[in-house]
């Protein structure tokens, strides 16, 4: 068989203002590390022999029908507007239609310099590539909208960071790579015709039922509200929710300094560059609203009379916190086995989280242990949990089969930071066994698997990861 990717490109037809055509820069010695056959099947990509695929997904050989390009965008980074970012180390090969009829971007990340590289080298090293591969696929398996990973290829080149590191390229797949920052770029430059083209394109591609710029705003709001609530429900901290990392499709994008928390702490931050806690766990809903406001500011520039749209746009934004909270409540109800609705549920859940914070309980293991009757062991303050449990037992009486609901809502396995770090160290030394093992286990996170108890274990004192890095 020969590798075949049935490209059907639309973004490349938008015209020159939206991107720069850009060939990937060849690498020394491509070697396939991981190929996602299930995703390839979905994308109707027929795979060839491994070396041919390595050469292609390293960017050394262009598959037929590819129209490689680097997209331009802008964005607020930690609240400061940067008028031009863009794909500095990513190259879009093109789009394909999945078996289910959805359209996907196929992009190489780490494929060399582009006009948007600024000071960067356009490259990625093995650590962040394998981290993104595992964590994005784990998110997908958890049922959370996300970009995905089709392939990871080692380049045989050295990438220079603090020292020399093995280079790699990730093939990223997404519903599209349109971001809030893509709209900001054109709006800030007063390129209204381009802004209109982009809006029409985004609506047709993602929300065909949406009407006009404000319809798009509403659709993105709803998608992002669902996404943020889903992150919260699994203890995920994105770490760098800049507007250029906020996707129009509502997928999780950019697995830089992201992390799943072990112990529950509302104010948890991992990213080494997030000094003020702007992107802390519990601040993510606020930031999502802030990002939506930036999208609104950009979108309304194209309206005949932007001032008259401000009121409606404001109403759309103001409705977002309660949408996030409603979805948050639905998901956390399920985490404690509730599908019916009672007035005090919010208090019940908030009180549990408070007891967990005080008791330094592991977020993932506590919820799962509640179906196994062993949750008490997770707490340094077991009496406080026991008191809460009595209330919960009363409330559960209204439910049909709460344990079954909980088993479907509380994963056993998440990509824990200390395991990811351990996996990266081993991979850099040439050992991919832990990568393979995590990849397999995390693909069915709600099902108990043999010989995987160690992957449930929270970090010991010495294993705790206190900071994560963008790792570019
Ligand atoms: P990120 O922090 O991954 O969202 O990236 C922010 C911006 O920096 C984007 O425009 C990236 O394309 C760019 N960038 C990050 N790493 C590199 C790199 N190694 N080379 C060139 N550009 C980069
Ligand atoms: Mg980014």
């Amino acid at each position: 068989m020969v590798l075949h990717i049935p490209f059907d490109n639309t973004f490349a037809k938008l015209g020159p203002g939206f991107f720069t055509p850009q060939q990937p820069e060849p690498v020394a010695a491509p070697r396939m590390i991981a190929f996602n056959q299930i995703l390839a099947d979905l994308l109707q990509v027929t795979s060839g022999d491994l070396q041919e695929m390595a050469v292609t997904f390293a960017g050394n050989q262009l598959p037929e029908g590819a129209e490689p390009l680097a997209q331009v965008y802008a964005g607020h980074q930690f609240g400061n507007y940067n008028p031009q970012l863009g794909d500095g180390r990513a190259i879009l090969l093109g789009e394909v239609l999945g078996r289910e009829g959805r359209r996907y971007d196929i992009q190489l990340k780490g494929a060399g310099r582009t006009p948007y590289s600024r000071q960067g080298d356009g490259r990625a090293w093995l650590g962040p590539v394998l981290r993104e591969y595992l964590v994005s696929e784990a998110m997908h398996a958890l049922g959370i909208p996300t970009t995905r990973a089709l392939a990871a290829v080692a380049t045989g080149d050295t990438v220079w960071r603090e020292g020399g590191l093995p280079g790699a390229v990730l093939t990223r797949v997404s519903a599209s790579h349109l971001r809030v920052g893509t709209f900001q770029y054109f709006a800030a430059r007063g390129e209204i015709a381009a802004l209109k083209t982009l809006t029409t394109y985004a609506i047709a591609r993602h929300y065909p039922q949406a009407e006009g710029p404000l319809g798009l705003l509403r659709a993105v709001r709803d998608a992002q509200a669902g996404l943020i609530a889903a992150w919260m429900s699994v203890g995920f901290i994105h770490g760098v929710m800049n507007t250029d990392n906020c996707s129009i499709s509502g997928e999780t994008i950019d697995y830089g300094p992201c992390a799943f928390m072990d112990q529950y702490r509302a104010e948890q931050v991992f990213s080494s560059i997030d000094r003020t806690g702007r992107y802390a766990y519990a601040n993510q809903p606020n930031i999502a609203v802030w990002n939506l406001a930036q999208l609104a500011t950009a979108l309304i520039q194209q309206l005949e009379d932007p001032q008259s749209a401000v009121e409606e746009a404001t109403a759309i934004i103001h409705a977002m916190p309660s949408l996030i909270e409603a979805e948050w409540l639905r998901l956390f109800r399920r985490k404690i086995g509730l599908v019916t609705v009672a007035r005090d549920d919010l208090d019940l859940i908030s009180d549990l989280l408070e007891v967990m914070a005080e008791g330094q309980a592991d977020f993932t293991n506590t919820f799962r242990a509640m179906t196994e009757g062993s949750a008490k062991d997770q707490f340094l303050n077991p009496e406080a949990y026991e008191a809460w449990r009595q209330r919960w037992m009363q409330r559960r009486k209204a439910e049909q089969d709460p344990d079954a609901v909980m088993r479907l809502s509380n994963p056993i396995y998440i990509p824990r930071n200390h395991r990811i770090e351990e996996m990266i160290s081993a991979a850099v030394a040439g050992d991919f066994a832990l990568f393979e093992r995590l990849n397999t286990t995390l693909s069915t996170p709600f099902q108990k698997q043999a010989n995987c108890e160690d992957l449930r274990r929270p970090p010991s004192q010495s294993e705790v990861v206190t900071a994560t890095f963008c790792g570019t």
Side-chain angles (χ1 to χ4, degrees):
M1 273 208 306
V2 192
L3 172 65
H4 179 253
I5 306 177
F7 284 111
D8 177 47
N9 305 334
T10 60
F11 188 83
K13 297 185 173 57
L14 290 185
F18 295 91
F19 58 85
T20 306
Q22 179 67 50
Q23 303 282 323
E25 227 175 290
V27 304
R31 190 173 62 80
M32 187 65 81
I33 300 170
F35 184 72
N36 189 339
Q37 190 58 55
I38 294 171
L39 181 57
D41 291 343
L42 172 69
L43 301 179
Q44 315 200 59
V45 168
T46 50
S47 43
D49 74 76
L50 227 77
Q51 197 47 36
E52 181 195 12
M53 298 212 294
V55 167
T56 303
F57 293 116
N60 282 22
Q61 173 185 300
L62 275 183
E64 196 188 319
E67 294 174 86
L69 60 87
Q71 296 183 333
V72 68
Y73 52 84
H76 278 90
Q77 299 178 303
F78 288 90
N80 302 307
Y81 188 64
N82 189 327
Q84 194 188 293
L85 293 163
D87 291 333
R89 57 178 157 153
I91 292 176
L92 178 68
L93 292 181
E95 300 148 38
V96 295
L97 289 170
R99 275 186 203 290
E100 23 54 309
R102 293 204 193 120
R103 177 173 295 280
Y104 295 92
D105 275 7
I106 300 184
Q107 189 201 58
L108 302 183
K109 191 170 171 186
R113 288 181 53 83
T114 77
Y116 314 116
S117 295
R118 295 171 294 162
Q119 284 7 290
D121 61 0
R123 292 300 182 188
W125 69 277
L126 189 60
V129 165
L130 294 185
R131 167 194 278 268
E132 176 157 350
Y133 192 111
L134 278 184
V135 182
S136 67
E137 285 301 307
M139 283 295 254
H140 173 74
L142 288 166
I144 299 177
T146 177
T147 64
R148 299 194 60 189
L150 180 62
V153 179
T155 61
D157 289 322
T158 299
V159 170
W160 295 95
R161 295 293 180 261
E162 282 90 60
L165 294 160
V169 176
L170 178 79
T171 305
R172 176 163 73 180
V173 172
S174 69
S176 87
H177 285 86
L178 302 181
R179 309 137 191 272
V180 168
T182 318
F183 288 84
Q184 290 182 286
Y185 175 83
F186 295 104
R189 293 161 61 98
E191 294 184 26
I192 302 305
L195 183 62
K196 286 183 177 169
T197 302
L198 186 66
T199 302
T200 305
Y201 179 80
I203 290 173
R205 187 157 172 180
H206 297 298
Y207 307 105
Q209 75 294 354
E211 277 179 42
L214 293 179
L216 177 60
L217 183 67
R218 208 174 279 114
V220 174
R221 175 197 64 189
D222 293 351
Q224 284 284 335
L227 179 68
I228 302 306
W231 287 356
M232 303 298 280
S233 77
V234 294
F236 180 75
I237 302 166
H238 182 281
V240 59
M241 290 174 70
N242 295 336
T243 57
D244 52 304
N245 294 333
C246 177
S247 100
I248 294 300
S249 71
E251 289 178 327
T252 311
I253 186 169
D254 210 319
Y255 290 86
C258 69
F260 284 75
M261 59 184 176
D262 299 296
Q263 283 178 13
Y264 174 76
R265 276 183 73 228
E267 63 280 12
Q268 182 69 55
V269 173
F270 287 101
S271 170
S272 60
I273 53 172
D274 188 2
R275 297 209 173 79
T276 60
R278 179 179 171 89
Y279 300 138
Y281 172 75
N283 206 33
Q284 296 182 116
N286 296 333
I287 293 295
V289 176
W290 194 89
N291 287 349
L292 191 79
Q294 308 317 309
L295 178 63
T297 304
L299 281 172
I300 64 173
Q301 304 307 319
Q302 66 192 288
L303 296 171
E304 206 59 36
D305 177 10
Q307 266 318 312
S308 71
V310 167
E311 202 175 319
E312 193 179 345
T314 305
I316 293 170
I317 297 162
H318 281 174
M320 193 177 185
S322 56
L323 289 171
I324 299 174
E325 182 169 302
E327 181 61 5
W328 181 95
L329 188 53
R330 189 185 73 84
L331 293 174
F332 274 81
R333 268 199 186 101
R334 295 185 63 85
K335 286 180 79 67
I336 59 169
L338 314 178
V339 292
T340 65
V341 172
R343 214 193 42 214
D344 294 335
D345 289 345
L346 179 59
D347 284 343
L348 187 65
I349 295 162
S350 304
D351 291 348
L352 171 62
L353 292 174
E354 209 164 290
V355 176
M356 284 172 67
E358 280 165 19
Q360 297 179 22
D362 183 87
F363 184 79
T364 302
N365 290 353
T366 299
F367 281 106
R368 188 70 190 198
M370 283 165 66
T371 60
E372 297 160 356
S374 57
K376 212 169 161 178
D377 307 343
Q378 301 289 329
F379 293 82
L380 293 183
N381 53 350
E383 335 66 50
Y385 172 70
E386 190 48 39
W388 180 86
R389 201 179 71 88
Q390 296 302 328
R391 288 165 61 199
W392 178 48
M393 283 302 166
Q394 282 303 317
R395 174 62 181 86
R396 276 171 58 122
K397 287 181 180 156
E399 301 294 325
Q400 289 269 332
D401 190 354
D403 286 339
V405 172
M406 290 175 73
R407 279 191 294 270
L408 292 173
S409 312
N410 296 305
I412 305 174
Y413 310 103
I414 52 158
R416 291 186 183 266
N417 302 316
H418 66 296
R419 292 297 181 196
I420 296 283
E421 299 289 329
E422 187 186 341
M423 175 279 292
I424 291 172
S425 304
V428 167
D431 177 358
F432 293 89
L434 185 54
F435 171 81
E436 298 294 347
R437 209 172 148 234
L438 286 168
N439 197 24
T440 304
T441 310
L442 293 170
S443 69
T444 53
F446 299 99
Q447 269 166 44
K448 198 153 198 166
Q449 294 161 63
N451 306 320
C452 290
E453 272 308 297
D454 61 319
L455 300 183
R456 295 185 74 170
R457 192 173 56 70
S460 64
Q461 285 287 347
S462 65
E463 288 172 326
V464 172
V465 174
T466 53
T468 54
F469 301 88
C470 271
T472 55

